[in-house]
Amino acid sequence: MIQIQIGQCGSQIGFNYWNKLINEHKIDSNGFYNGDAQDEDKYLANSEFLFSSNQSDKKYVPRAIMVDSESAVLDEIRQLTLNQPLLLWEHIFYPIDSN
């Protein structure tokens, strides 16, 4: 699944959606399962549909396209997630100043 988030509202709702999914599937900020080993199948069933998955290291990464004509909301989301390597900011392109 690739989620498309458009505008301020879409980006903020999308950001909260991914945070909820990450918590529900017990994925840590580095993209790895962080729950009890016996429950792993329960929490990660069908997770390949939701997350980009690297089977060799079992890392799960959300996939989203964020579109906004102003960079303020994306800057805010970026500041909230700077310490979370789960989101790959090197793959995000947007203007630094929208003026």
Side-chain angles (χ1 to χ4, degrees):
M1 174 176 81
I2 298 176
Q3 180 181 13
I4 299 174
Q5 304 165 188
I6 300 175
Q8 176 179 354
C9 184
S11 293
Q12 290 172 333
I13 290 171
F15 177 72
N16 288 318
Y17 169 78
W18 282 113
N19 278 333
K20 185 162 182 68
L21 278 180
I22 288 166
N23 289 329
E24 283 180 0
H25 289 272
K26 300 202 179 285
I27 296 173
D28 67 17
S29 63
N30 292 310
F32 298 103
Y33 177 71
N34 191 25
D36 294 331
Q38 70 266 18
D39 294 333
E40 187 170 358
D41 289 339
K42 177 176 102 175
Y43 286 106
L44 296 180
N46 299 318
S47 60
E48 299 84 27
F49 174 74
L50 298 171
F51 301 96
S52 174
S53 168
N54 183 341
Q55 293 302 319
S56 64
D57 63 5
K58 293 188 175 185
K59 184 172 183 173
Y60 297 89
V61 179
R63 294 173 288 190
I65 297 171
M66 295 183 226
V67 178
D68 201 328
S69 60
E70 296 181 25
S71 62
V73 173
L74 299 180
D75 284 337
E76 181 181 324
I77 291 171
R78 186 170 193 261
Q79 291 300 315
L80 290 171
T81 61
L82 271 177
N83 294 323
Q84 296 179 4
L86 180 59
L87 300 175
L88 305 173
W89 283 101
E90 64 268 16
H91 295 162
I92 296 177
F93 304 95
Y94 64 95
I96 300 300
D97 186 5
S98 59
N99 292 328

